[in-house]
Amino acid sequence: MNRIMGRARLLLVLVLILALGTSFFVGEYFIGSGKWILFSGSPHVYNAGNIGCGVVADREGVLLLDLRNNRTYAQNDTLRSATLHWLGDRKGSISAPALSHYASELIGFDPIGGVYAYGGVGGQATMTLSATVQMAALEAMGDYKGTVAVYNYKTGEILCAVTTPTYDPDNIPDFASDANGAYSGVYVNRFIQSAYTPGSIFKIVTVAAALETMPEIQNQTFTCTGTVEYGVDTVTCEQAHGTLTFQEAFAKSCNCSFAQIAGILGKDVLQRYVSQFGITESLSFDGITTASGNVELSAAAPVQLAWSAIGQHKDLINPCRYMSFIGAIATGGTGVKPHLISQIKVGGSVTYQAKPQSDGRIMSSETAAILQEYLRNNVENYYGDDSFPGLTVCAKSGTAEVGGGKKPNAMFTGFVADEEYPLAFIAAIEDGGYGRPVCVPILSKVLTACKEAMDNHS
């Protein structure tokens, strides 16, 4: 009897061990199966480092990419080049992080059913991009390097985000023979991966900080003689503007006035509002994390603080992050995060549906309203409404000195105030020169294309 009881206990122990082992395996399977299936070397999902099943369409259903069978891109060569930095290439030199982020939704995977992709071909990802606007933006950029982008500041949908230089993945250039550097940095998505000296578009930040801390500043005047001296150092303007109101100093982008404003604010206050507005923080959406920016004033001398308030010194901004900051101004101080993927379907089932995501309140509605007025004044009285037919545009130009004997980068950012066209935008043109003459013709074409695409989509 004792021997039987001993064997029974041993058998019970073995059964418990088996049960525990099975439970552990099942738990590990449910927790880790998605990672096993979706790891970057999985032949079920990836091809040369990029996702390899399903199809991708634009917001109107235009086919951008069939991910199967070594990738089949759009028939139009301009469209292929315009969307390359979002769809990736065949060799994996340019990645498609948003598509990879939603790999499980695109292939149709769950721990019980496994890979159940509809018909064995995967699902359809619908992007927020407009094919027609992407092509218009690429053509508007011409031979310039840089980026131009537009998003809906109410929904977060990115309608356009073009990076140049780019190339046709079905007709790859001979990069080794690029003696003139036409394809320098071609693998970089400048909209999300770059950080630029902002130049005078940063004055929006300085104005906002001043309005938040010194409401009476709107009644102050500033005198510009063309230079502000700091011992042996100076801040200069291209001309002596004379006496200016706060709004006039912003509209005429007077460096000397902003040097004086920086002295009133102080470096601690400006640094605090840079942090509050989030303009130097990286932004994450759809598996994408943007480059971070930089504004570091802790050890800044007065002349360095002045140049930083003007958007020079060591200031850097990421175009995507800064565009979302402009979108927050347009909405009254509360931002909406941008996104690139609107929906994913496998068969008739929706496996992912985007929703607007708040980026939080960054400034008071009163400050945002004054900024809206000031930015509108810039276009109405200085840049010209005729450049943006049918749209109520509010904007600021910038000319960012980058040194090294290079021409300045041309910068321009703003938003459309019309209820039916809630669009925020940014353009960063490398070695472009002055912001207004370079960027306005580009953005005029891009925003017109956005307007037409939204009219057709409604």
Side-chain angles (χ1 to χ4, degrees), residues 132-436:
T132 56
V133 181
Q134 285 287 112
M135 290 189 288
L138 181 60
E139 291 172 350
M141 288 288 283
D143 294 330
Y144 285 122
K145 291 182 181 179
T147 185
V148 58
V150 184
Y151 96 126
N152 185 317
Y153 54 75
K154 290 185 177 179
T155 65
E157 298 168 296
I158 300 173
L159 275 74
C160 163
V162 163
T163 283
T164 55
T166 185
Y167 62 89
D168 180 353
D170 282 347
N171 187 19
I172 301 174
D174 181 6
F175 297 130
S177 301
D178 179 23
N180 297 322
Y183 291 99
S184 176
V186 71
Y187 297 131
V188 176
N189 185 330
R190 284 163 159 80
F191 176 61
I192 57 174
Q193 295 176 313
S194 292
Y196 288 100
T197 301
S200 289
I201 65 170
F202 186 85
K203 288 172 181 170
I204 301 170
V205 176
T206 306
V207 167
L211 290 171
E212 290 268 296
T213 55
M214 300 178 296
E216 71 282 359
I217 199 167
Q218 293 186 80
N219 300 318
Q220 289 186 233
T221 58
F222 304 88
T223 301
C224 170
T225 61
T227 61
V228 177
E229 295 184 357
Y230 297 85
V232 297
D233 297 310
T234 58
V235 168
T236 60
C237 275
E238 288 194 337
Q239 67 181 78
H241 290 107
T243 300
L244 301 172
T245 65
F246 185 52
Q247 184 177 16
E248 288 172 338
F250 181 60
K252 294 185 178 182
S253 209
C254 176
N255 288 348
C256 292
S257 295
F258 272 80
Q260 296 169 59
I261 294 165
I264 299 169
L265 276 175
K267 61 184 179 183
D268 292 340
V269 172
L270 185 56
Q271 188 78 66
R272 172 157 55 89
Y273 278 94
V274 165
S275 177
Q276 178 176 311
F277 299 153
I279 60 168
T280 59
E281 298 174 3
S282 60
L283 185 64
S284 295
F285 60 95
D286 292 338
I288 297 164
T289 298
T290 71
S292 56
N294 180 72
V295 176
E296 179 49 61
L297 300 175
S298 59
V303 67
Q304 294 170 328
L305 168 62
W307 280 119
S308 184
I310 293 164
Q312 294 289 160
H313 185 42
K314 297 180 181 179
D315 295 0
L316 294 171
I317 56 102
N318 168 259
C320 181
R321 174 80 261 190
Y322 205 78
M323 184 182 70
S324 70
F325 164 65
I326 298 300
I329 295 171
T331 56
T334 302
V336 174
K337 284 187 178 182
H339 65 268
L340 189 66
I341 305 296
S342 62
Q343 187 184 75
I344 298 174
K345 280 186 175 181
V346 178
S349 301
V350 175
T351 56
Y352 173 77
Q353 180 66 56
K355 297 178 181 178
Q357 293 187 32
S358 173
D359 206 19
R361 176 165 291 281
I362 62 170
M363 67 180 67
S364 70
S365 57
E366 293 80 9
T367 296
I370 297 169
L371 283 169
Q372 292 168 12
E373 176 190 335
Y374 281 19
L375 291 164
R376 177 68 190 129
N377 175 66
N378 290 352
V379 178
E380 197 171 21
N381 294 309
Y382 292 92
Y383 308 146
D385 275 328
D386 55 343
S387 297
F388 308 103
L391 296 171
T392 307
V393 174
C394 312
K396 181 72 183 80
S397 68
T399 303
E401 302 290 344
V402 294
K406 295 182 178 180
K407 291 174 64 178
N409 289 345
M411 312 290 286
F412 203 89
T413 190
F415 63 91
V416 179
D418 303 311
E419 185 70 23
E420 62 270 42
Y421 308 112
L423 303 170
F425 55 83
I426 191 166
I429 311 301
E430 298 170 16
D431 302 319
Y434 288 96
R436 175 188 172 183

